[in-house]
Amino acid sequence: MQTQPVSQTRSFTTVFLIEMWERFGFYGMQVLMVTFMMKKLGFIDTKANLVWGAAAALIYATPAIGGWVGDKLLGTRRTMLIGAVVLAVGYAMLWIPSNNAYVTYLSLGVIVVGNGFFKPNAGNLVRKIYEGDETQIDSAFTMYYMAVNIGSMISMTATPWIRNYIGEQFGDDLGWHTAFGVCSIGLVLGLINFSLMKRTLSHIGSPSDDQPVSLKRAAAVALVSLATVFIAAFILQSETIAEWCVYTAGVVILGIFVHLIRGSRSNERAGLTAALVLTVQTIFFFIFYAQMATSLNLFAQRNVDLSFSVFGIHLFNWIPEQYQNLNSIWIVLLSPVLVFIYNSLGKLGKDPSIAAKFAWGFAAVALGFFMYGFGASWAVNGQVSSWIMVWGYGLYSLGELLVSGLGLAMIARYVPDRMGGFMMGAYYVAVGISQYLGSVVANIAHIPDNITDPLQSLSIYTHLFNILGFVGIGCTAIAVGILPLMNKLSASHSDPATNYHPLPAVRSEEFNTP
């Protein structure tokens, strides 16, 4: 009996769901981590910001290696699955009821390794599913990005509530660690679901997926991974070492791009150059993005009225960390709208370039930070309305979808297939660099221990947010200014006379929103 081919939508759904559960774990942990470091490990805000910034940088940097492991050693599907298992172990380690800083560093080290294996290979599978149709790649990665935010939306609501509820019933320490444990449980559920659906990906992957696993290669990967856990923990203990590692990584990534562009085929050079320019823009965007877990999180702790009211009628209160969830809620609401717009414009042949979408994204982010900054004008007793946070996050999230949501699509569109996994990883290294830089920027809003007046802390935070708003305007102007160059590079990359696409285009009707 002939096996019926698996639809692209079913294959996409399998990756979509494992990504959703993986992000459930990651963001459930992230939403609490800076506050945990301050309240349970005794860090001041600047140290907590920098330790998390360094951890985030490492979490985003290791995919450069994980993508290569998936492409060349273990296979894309296998490496993604290994990453999910390692991540579940990392979150389970945070479940251990210990407030020892080194246990936290080791747990974050395991998470660093797991994310390195998972993230680039999950993205690379989506790229392979829709390879050959540029309009559908944009839509697919926008929906894929929505998966990230469905998972995070659930966990960023749940874990702060679980921490408070369990803490009130059984003690504060147990509340914190149970909340982290839920992140591990969620990923285990995702792995069970993946095992039931993995057949839909049997035809998608790298050549290594179709070959037996070499025990020598597997052992080498395991040893390097174990060493990486301890190296990461060591780096997190020292702000100086973390800083040097981040800046060195930036130089290395730039060197790799330059080397690949110089050594590439003539028909690949324009696409790689476009990818480099957009990657640099992405670094600037993620400096803004890093504020969510740092300055915006701490702003909600000190200077936001936690009550949601409409026309004077009280609806409910939120826990301060839950305001980070507004980002995910807006992403889930806006993603289908943008997919519809992309598909509609694509059918008319008027889909804006990724470079144009990046420019619009920076403009939205700038307006979002001005919303936070100028919201102080309506503050009462040093506290801004929760609705200011809602609309600020709405603009911020629209910008994120237009920039970060299409960052992976940019790699898929402009980077040759033979470099796909590695360049997906290199993109994440760039994101990691900006995560650390974002924590450095967040420390502009350091609140000394002797400041307890909310009016003073409000002034410090809004000063930072207004600075970020003006920087966002500058990024928008630069993005608009280089549009002619980007359009030229994109046209050269797409020119059939100089570029060869070996795969047939995907019919637009084959993509259905899952």
Side-chain angles (χ1 to χ4, degrees):
M1 181 183 295
Q2 188 174 6
T3 304
Q4 189 172 9
V6 178
S7 71
Q8 289 173 315
T9 300
R10 291 183 64 193
S11 299
F12 175 83
T13 301
T14 302
V15 183
F16 180 99
L17 290 174
I18 187 67
E19 174 73 21
M20 182 186 75
W21 282 109
E22 187 276 326
R23 293 289 89 180
F24 173 94
F26 180 79
Y27 280 102
M29 176 272 297
Q30 176 186 284
V31 75
L32 298 176
M33 186 52 68
V34 170
T35 316
F36 173 74
M37 289 177 183
M38 293 175 65
K39 293 188 176 180
K40 304 308 295 183
L41 302 185
F43 294 178
I44 63 171
D45 59 357
T46 51
K47 182 174 181 180
N49 284 340
L50 288 175
V51 170
W52 172 249
L58 291 169
I59 286 167
Y60 279 95
T62 47
I65 301 170
W68 178 78
V69 171
D71 277 350
K72 305 298 183 183
L73 299 182
L74 301 182
T76 305
R77 294 193 308 272
R78 287 194 197 108
T79 307
M80 181 188 74
L81 188 60
I82 291 168
V85 172
V86 173
L87 281 166
V89 172
Y91 301 135
M93 289 174 65
L94 289 170
W95 201 346
I96 299 170
S98 168
N99 294 331
N100 183 292
Y102 196 72
V103 172
T104 302
Y105 294 147
L106 280 176
S107 303
L108 289 171
V110 174
I111 293 167
V112 163
V113 171
N115 191 75
F117 286 143
F118 182 90
K119 201 65 181 173
N121 292 292
N124 210 15
L125 286 175
V126 175
R127 186 181 67 85
K128 290 176 182 293
I129 291 169
Y130 287 101
E131 197 163 31
D133 189 301
E134 294 190 346
T135 298
Q136 300 308 317
I137 281 175
D138 278 8
S139 297
F141 272 105
T142 300
M143 293 306 298
Y144 176 70
Y145 203 72
M146 190 176 79
V148 171
N149 289 278
I150 291 175
S152 63
M153 180 176 66
I154 297 169
S155 64
M156 287 197 290
T157 300
T159 56
W161 180 84
I162 290 167
R163 178 204 60 195
N164 282 8
Y165 179 78
I166 299 295
E168 290 170 1
Q169 300 296 319
F170 303 102
D172 190 49
D173 282 356
L174 191 60
W176 281 99
H177 294 289
T178 302
F180 287 131
V182 167
C183 300
S184 181
I185 293 171
L187 195 44
V188 169
L189 293 174
L191 285 164
I192 293 170
N193 181 76
F194 181 80
S195 69
L196 299 175
M197 300 179 68
K198 63 182 180 181
R199 185 187 66 82
T200 63
L201 291 175
S202 60
H203 62 299
I204 305 292
S206 60
S208 300
D209 279 302
D210 300 322
Q211 299 171 2
V213 177
S214 165
L215 291 178
K216 185 181 293 186
R217 286 181 175 181
V221 170
L223 286 173
V224 171
S225 299
L226 185 61
T228 303
V229 170
F230 288 98
I231 291 169
F234 175 72
I235 289 171
L236 293 177
Q237 292 181 88
S238 171
E239 293 178 15
T240 302
I241 293 174
E243 184 178 2
W244 277 103
C245 287
V246 168
Y247 296 144
T248 300
V251 174
V252 169
I253 286 297
L254 180 60
I256 288 171
F257 261 110
V258 172
H259 173 71
L260 289 176
I261 291 170
R262 290 180 62 184
S264 62
R265 302 165 190 161
S266 58
N267 63 329
E268 298 171 343
R269 201 161 294 148
L272 285 170
T273 303
L276 172 60
V277 174
L278 292 173
T279 298
V280 171
Q281 291 186 27
T282 301
I283 289 176
F284 280 94
F285 169 78
F286 272 96
I287 292 173
F288 297 106
Y289 179 82
Q291 304 311 306
M292 184 172 74
T294 54
S295 64
L296 282 171
N297 175 29
L298 298 179
F299 177 62
Q301 306 268 347
R302 294 184 173 100
N303 291 108
V304 175
D305 179 357
L306 304 180
S307 170
F308 278 89
S309 301
V310 175
F311 300 118
I313 300 173
H314 174 72
L315 301 178
F316 54 86
N317 279 20
W318 256 12
I319 299 167
E321 289 92 345
Q322 288 179 324
Y323 283 89
Q324 297 173 64
N325 194 22
L326 290 168
N327 176 237
S328 300
I329 293 171
W330 277 110
I331 294 290
V332 172
L333 292 174
L334 292 172
S335 291
V337 176
L338 286 181
V339 168
F340 174 78
I341 292 171
Y342 294 159
N343 286 340
S344 299
L345 291 175
K347 290 175 183 178
L348 298 174
K350 295 181 179 180
D351 187 27
S353 67
I354 289 183
K357 293 168 185 173
F358 271 40
W360 280 107
F362 279 119
V365 168
L367 289 174
F369 275 100
F370 280 133
M371 178 71 71
Y372 304 131
F374 290 124
S377 302
W378 293 277
V380 177
N381 298 323
Q383 293 190 318
V384 302
S385 166
S386 288
W387 294 107
I388 292 292
M389 300 296 284
V390 170
W391 297 113
Y393 265 106
L395 290 162
Y396 169 100
S397 303
L398 174 61
E400 180 183 347
L401 269 176
L402 289 166
V403 180
S404 176
L406 292 176
L408 296 175
M410 172 265 293
I411 296 294
R413 175 177 290 185
Y414 292 125
V415 172
D417 180 60
R418 60 192 172 84
M419 304 176 188
F422 178 78
M423 290 305 296
M424 199 75 75
Y427 168 81
Y428 281 115
V429 173
V431 171
I433 292 167
S434 55
Q435 290 280 342
Y436 184 80
L437 294 175
S439 69
V440 173
V441 170
N443 281 347
I444 293 173
H446 166 55
I447 309 296
D449 290 338
N450 63 343
I451 288 183
T452 57
D453 183 355
L455 290 173
Q456 289 180 279
S457 58
L458 179 66
S459 175
I460 293 171
Y461 282 121
T462 53
H463 173 67
L464 168 63
F465 298 149
N466 287 330
I467 288 174
L468 289 169
F470 284 114
V471 172
I473 289 176
C475 289
T476 304
I478 292 170
V480 171
I482 64 172
L483 269 178
L485 170 63
M486 295 303 299
N487 290 336
K488 182 179 179 180
L489 289 170
S490 183
S492 176
H493 168 71
S494 304
D495 187 351
T498 60
N499 204 7
Y500 173 61
H501 298 285
L503 295 177
V506 180
R507 298 196 310 275
S508 60
E509 61 267 23
E510 290 181 16
F511 180 82
N512 297 305
T513 301

